Amino acid sequence: LAKTTQPISMDSYEGQEVNITCSHNNIATNDYITWYQQFPSQGPRFIIQGYKTKVTNEVASLFIPADRKSSTLSLPRVSLSDTAVYYCLVGGNNDYKLSFGAGTTVTVRA
Amino acid sequence: EPEVTQTPSHQVTQMGQEVILRCVPISNHLYFYWYRQILGQKVEFLVSFYNNEISEKSEIFDDQFSVERPDGSNFTLKIRSTKLEDSAMYFCASIGRTSNTGELFFGEGSRLTVL
C-alpha cells in the first residue's frame, strides 16, 4: 500500500477555496485515490475518488497529475461546517489493507 | 441512503472482560473492515474480512481480537480480555458489491471505555 503524506493542518476563511495536497510517491498502477472527511466522534465519510486527471462531484474536485504521485483535493467556497479532518487514502482492487494516514485538520474561520 | 449500523454506541467495561462489538454492514456488500481510533489520533486499520475469512490484519489485531460473521447480516469484533489501551472508538466499514474499490461506508462507531 502506498504511503501518503499530507499537511498536518490548514486554516481558511469562509467562502475561500481550500486545496489539500497528498503525496503518494509509491502509488501502484492499480491504486485509486480516495478522500474522506471526518467530524469529531463520527466515522469517516467518502468525499471523492479518482484514478487520473480530474474528477468533480457536487462537493469537491480531485486533481491528479499524469505521474499520479500526488493528488489535490479542492473544496470550493468552504463554510464553517467544513471544519474537519480530511484523509487521503490510496489503494487498489484486492488491496485489503485500506489504511488511513494522519490526515489534515482543516479549520474554517468566520 | 444505505448505512452501516453499529451497536452498542458506548460500552464501559472492566479491564480483563470480554467485549463484543456488533455491526450490520450494507446489504450485498462483500468486504468488511474494523478500524480503531484512539482519542485525538488517526483512524487505524485493524482487520479486513472477505469471503468469510480474514484477508488482512494489522499488528494491532493480536490474539486478543477476533472477528466473525455469524449470519448473513452481522459482523462482530470480539476483544477477549480488554486492556486499558483498548479504550477507543471502533468503526465498522463495508465496501463493494463486486470489488473493494469505491466508497468505504462507515458506521457511527462504538466507543469502548475500559476501566
Side-chain angles (χ1 to χ4, degrees), chain A residues 64-75:
Chain A
I64 305 168
D67 66 6
R68 303 200 329 122
K69 293 184 183 298
S70 67
S71 59
T72 299
L73 174 73
S74 180
L75 306 172

Side-chain angles (χ1 to χ4, degrees), chain B residues 39-52:
Chain B
L39 185 64
Q41 298 187 22
K42 70 174 186 178
V43 177
E44 298 176 289
F45 169 83
L46 288 178
V47 65
S48 57
F49 193 86
Y50 169 70
N51 200 25
N52 287 319

Side-chain angles (χ1 to χ4, degrees), chain A residues 2 8 43 55 62 79 87 98:
Chain A
I8 294 173
V55 180
L62 179 59
S79 63
Y87 295 96
L98 297 176

Side-chain angles (χ1 to χ4, degrees), chain A residues 22-35:
Chain A
C22 178
S23 297
H24 28 81
N25 292 316
N26 297 319
I27 191 169
T29 302
N30 64 341
D31 283 344
Y32 286 79
I33 301 156
T34 313
W35 285 81

Side-chain angles (χ1 to χ4, degrees), chain A residues 17-90:
Chain A
E17 179 181 84
V18 171
N19 296 305
I20 311 169
T21 296
C22 178
S23 297
H24 28 81
N25 292 316
N26 297 319
I27 191 169
T29 302
N30 64 341
D31 283 344
Y32 286 79
I33 301 156
T34 313
W35 285 81
Y36 290 85
Q37 175 192 56
Q38 187 184 30
F39 298 114
S41 299
Q42 295 186 23
R45 187 176 65 177
F46 174 89
I47 302 173
I48 197 166
Q49 183 181 73
Y51 182 79
K52 61 180 179 181
T53 63
K54 178 184 174 182
V55 180
T56 297
N57 61 21
E58 62 276 9
V59 298
S61 295
L62 179 59
F63 299 90
I64 305 168
D67 66 6
R68 303 200 329 122
K69 293 184 183 298
S70 67
S71 59
T72 299
L73 174 73
S74 180
L75 306 172
R77 298 179 301 281
V78 294
S79 63
L80 296 176
S81 62
D82 292 316
T83 293
V85 180
Y86 292 83
Y87 295 96
C88 162
L89 189 151
V90 173

